Amino acid sequence: LGEVKIHELKPGGEDILVVEENKEEYVNMMVSWRFTRGVEEQFKAFLEGFNEIVPIQWLQYFDERELELILVGIQDFDVQDWQAHTIYRNYRRSDKQIQWFWQFVAEISDEQRSRLLQFVTGTCRLPIGGFSELMGSNGAQKFCIEKVGKENWLPRSHTCFNRLDLPPYRAYDVLKDKLLFAIEETEGFGQE
């Protein structure tokens, strides 16, 4: 306590100034150090155990969504529960885009439903109590579908608010293609 210790992020790091050219490397090393200090032993033990089940080199073949599905599995989805605990903004339950959305959800596989849920909420798993217990950044937050954009736009998500921005597509096939593209092809911060 009260003692300042210097931890070099790389050999000779104490003598290297951070400049524009090496700023990204510095930030990456600092983040890595901050996340691993104090848990290195536990993390190494986890990796060794994990490697016994899934060789680490195999992980390169999976994106983060696929890896999460492998680790936690695919759950069964109750589409009626999903519908019952969904709210709409600038749409009514009777609008054709909402009817098409639920047709789409009914037709896709549970794996694709997991991806849709992950696209909108940030996680592929539901709480124990189902859709009624979804949480957002401000506590309990229902699944929400909002009419936003134009027909040529892709759907967007706001994971902090469990909200899907669904443009007013004029045909079911367009809605289906755009949603499939959004849930299958987005990566990382491709959503808001």
Side-chain angles (χ1 to χ4, degrees):
L1 266 155
E3 182 181 344
V4 177
K5 291 184 179 178
I6 294 174
H7 177 84
E8 290 189 337
L9 300 175
K10 70 184 214 176
E14 185 177 9
D15 300 319
I16 300 173
L17 290 176
V18 176
V19 294
E20 192 62 37
E21 290 75 27
N22 66 4
K23 182 170 43 174
E24 184 177 350
E25 178 188 20
Y26 169 77
V27 169
N28 288 336
M29 294 176 100
M30 179 59 84
V31 167
S32 177
W33 179 73
R34 290 221 183 249
F35 279 127
T36 58
R37 69 179 168 162
V39 294
E40 285 180 77
E41 256 182 68
Q42 295 91 330
F43 188 69
K44 284 179 184 175
F46 168 79
L47 276 180
E48 286 174 15
F50 189 81
N51 191 42
E52 289 179 17
I53 299 166
V54 179
I56 298 297
Q57 65 268 23
W58 289 7
L59 296 182
Q60 68 186 352
Y61 301 114
F62 303 103
D63 65 26
E64 70 280 359
R65 294 176 302 176
E66 293 167 329
L67 187 58
E68 184 177 4
L69 286 173
I70 288 169
L71 292 174
V72 299
I74 297 172
Q75 69 186 128
D76 294 327
F77 286 89
D78 181 343
V79 177
Q80 279 82 29
D81 180 53
W82 198 338
Q83 286 178 303
H85 296 98
T86 295
I87 58 174
Y88 306 98
R89 290 191 182 149
N90 302 319
Y91 274 125
R92 290 183 315 274
R93 196 175 295 232
S94 60
D95 288 336
K96 63 184 177 183
Q97 290 84 3
I98 297 302
Q99 299 301 311
W100 290 338
F101 175 81
W102 293 117
Q103 177 184 342
F104 170 78
V105 171
E107 290 175 357
I108 61 178
S109 68
D110 278 334
E111 180 180 351
Q112 290 170 312
R113 289 183 190 124
S114 288
R115 286 183 182 263
L116 174 60
L117 182 66
Q118 186 167 43
F119 176 73
V120 178
T121 68
T123 182
C124 67
R125 301 291 293 175
L126 282 173
I128 299 288
F131 283 93
S132 66
E133 295 184 8
L134 272 181
M135 299 300 281
S137 60
N138 297 323
Q141 185 79 49
K142 287 190 174 199
F143 191 91
C144 177
I145 303 173
E146 182 166 1
K147 183 193 289 186
V148 173
K150 300 176 182 173
E151 186 174 7
N152 62 337
W153 290 19
L154 284 171
R156 295 185 311 179
S157 64
H158 303 269
T159 56
C160 290
F161 307 109
N162 298 335
R163 190 176 85 213
L164 174 66
D165 288 350
L166 187 67
Y169 300 120
R170 294 186 189 143
Y172 172 71
D173 289 339
V174 174
L175 178 140
K176 178 180 177 179
D177 290 345
K178 300 275 187 177
L179 275 172
L180 282 173
F181 184 83
I183 66 175
E184 299 291 342
E185 303 299 328
T186 24
E187 247 181 64
F189 291 101
Q191 57 220 19
E192 292 183 28

